[in-house]
Amino acid sequence: MLPIDLSRVLRIGDPSYSKLKKQLRHFDLQTTLAALSGLLTVPEYHASTLRIEMLLHLTLLHCRGARRPDQGRLAYWLEDLLARQPIRRAEDPVEDVFVSNVIGPGGNYRIFEGTWEVNDYYLQQVLDCATRTQWGTPHRMLRRSAVALLTLSDAAASRAHLERWARTSQPTPRDRFLGNRVDVAEISSRVTFTYKECEKLGVSPEALAPFLY
């Protein structure tokens, strides 16, 4: 077996994604993003994070239509089209927890590890630098924005009923991983926040501005 060229596998402009790009043009950006982001809050899908994240990037670039994706469409994109691409071979067995924890202004925040190992350790170093050092003193907006994003991450974990150090029960990547019971509306609601909900969480739109697409 030839070694995987990760630079090609992770290149969103690669011609191998052309069929997927054509289909995405007919779908609504916001609802497709919400559905895919919701998949990233399901522990059983942890081993397939790479495919889900690639589809998220392609969605941002190409979704310009009005159709809303259902379970069948998500399964076709992830378990058929992308499962036949080299990116599937780049997926490794899970080597870390699904949800970890960092400490920042206001307390503890649950974060989703994704494909990063010991993500919490490195993020904690950045947070400590921004909040506990002399360098961080004048960077109040940076701290405010970081805490705003962490607050939403913790809220999404609560909506998904996930505790710190939650693990997946399916650590090995598989072509077909979604199963037959994906409630698209429910998983989308985990990562969708209205202005009122943000206000209740103490998160202002201005603080999230650096992360807006």
Side-chain angles (χ1 to χ4, degrees), residues 143-157:
R143 295 197 300 274
R144 187 184 178 197
S145 294
V147 171
L149 196 61
L150 287 171
T151 299
L152 295 185
S153 175
D154 193 72

Side-chain angles (χ1 to χ4, degrees), residues 125-143 146:
Q125 305 310 305
V126 174
L127 285 172
D128 288 346
C129 182
T131 60
R132 303 176 64 181
T133 67
Q134 186 175 2
W135 175 89
T137 301
H139 296 88
R140 295 181 179 177
M141 257 325 284
L142 186 152
R143 295 197 300 274

